[in-house]
Amino acid sequence: MASLLPTARFATTVAKLAQLPRDGLPEVAFVGRSNAGKSSAINALCQRRRLAFASKTPGRTQALNCFALGPEKLDRPLALIVDTPGYGFAAAPLEVKREWDQLAGRYLQVRDALCAVVLVMDVRRGVTELDRALLRWIRPDVPVLVILTKSDKLGRAQQRQALDTVEAALREARLPNPVSLLAFSSTTGLGLEQARGWLEAVLGEAIEAIEARDHADAQQGEDTQQGTPRNPTP
């Protein structure tokens, strides 16, 4: 399968879970604190300059932005990237914070189409209580990639120390999810290819599973239409 990430394009913005697409396409969610560099990470991974936008006022945009993946000539996309609003914005009113919980938090909890989560963290901040709370929202079967953005601002020894600290914090959290960790920089490209490889592998597996399911459903429909018994009695 050809690389999917460079095909990313805007699909829709939703303010309520009920407005999300219902076609069951695999979805990868990007989550992270405000100003952690989430938009820059998405743009770098997808090789687009202004695919995702960072609001000048952190926490202002409380919506899920969906980006379609796959050749545009197809009848429908193959998968979606879902950019969630940044959290942890101290200046935001309490009601806005509650809206984040109700939208993005619930999305992580209940969305069946969610096949992976990318948690974007500023390498200089480490794992915060808000990050831990967010990780607990994610279904236990969903793999998580944690990328430590702005790692170019640290020397190699500091990067290694930051990775060790975050890895220890994640291990202490005892998450049931498969978790991967990378130092990352959208400026220098540090960790970019590794993150792309992780995403392409997760998406490829999810797309293959859906194609196999659709094929089985189609075959079952043909058998039923032709009157072929599915479980013939000997």
Side-chain angles (χ1 to χ4, degrees), residues 2-142:
S3 180
L4 284 175
L5 295 176
T7 68
R9 57 203 180 272
F10 177 77
T12 187
T13 294
V14 303
K16 297 180 180 179
L17 294 184
Q19 298 170 337
L20 283 164
R22 298 183 180 182
D23 44 20
L25 299 177
E27 295 172 4
V28 175
F30 277 72
V31 299
R33 290 177 60 90
S34 296
N35 298 326
K38 180 161 56 66
S39 296
S40 296
I42 293 174
N43 291 337
L45 287 163
C46 296
Q47 298 173 272
R48 298 293 181 90
R49 283 192 173 185
R50 295 180 64 80
L51 180 68
F53 292 87
S55 173
K56 293 181 180 180
T57 304
R60 171 173 290 178
T61 304
Q62 294 303 293
L64 301 175
N65 294 309
C66 303
F67 305 102
L69 298 176
E72 292 190 52
K73 63 183 179 181
L74 297 179
D75 293 337
R76 66 172 188 172
L78 296 175
L80 295 174
I81 285 176
V82 180
D83 183 14
T84 68
Y87 58 90
F89 31 89
L94 183 60
E95 185 57 34
V96 173
K97 295 179 182 181
R98 286 175 179 162
E99 287 176 5
W100 194 98
D101 289 352
Q102 292 169 3
L103 180 62
R106 287 289 292 163
Y107 168 79
L108 295 175
Q109 281 184 323
V110 306
R111 186 65 170 168
D112 289 338
L114 185 64
C115 70
V117 172
V118 179
L119 172 57
V120 181
M121 294 173 45
D122 187 324
V123 69
R124 300 163 297 181
R125 297 190 68 107
V127 182
T128 68
E129 285 304 315
L130 286 170
D131 296 322
R132 291 186 177 92
L134 179 142
L135 287 165
R136 288 193 290 269
W137 273 322
I138 304 170
R139 292 198 329 268
D141 58 317
V142 176

Side-chain angles (χ1 to χ4, degrees), residues 184-228:
F184 187 90
S185 170
S186 57
T187 303
T188 66
L190 174 67
L192 198 57
E193 289 308 314
Q194 294 93 324
R196 280 188 188 134
W198 188 93
L199 284 165
E200 296 281 4
V202 168
L203 285 166
E205 184 177 338
I207 291 168
E208 286 179 4
I210 286 179
E211 289 176 344
R213 182 197 66 195
D214 290 347
H215 177 74
D217 289 346
Q219 187 63 50
Q220 178 181 344
E222 288 180 10
D223 290 345
T224 301
Q225 188 175 12
Q226 295 171 7
T228 305

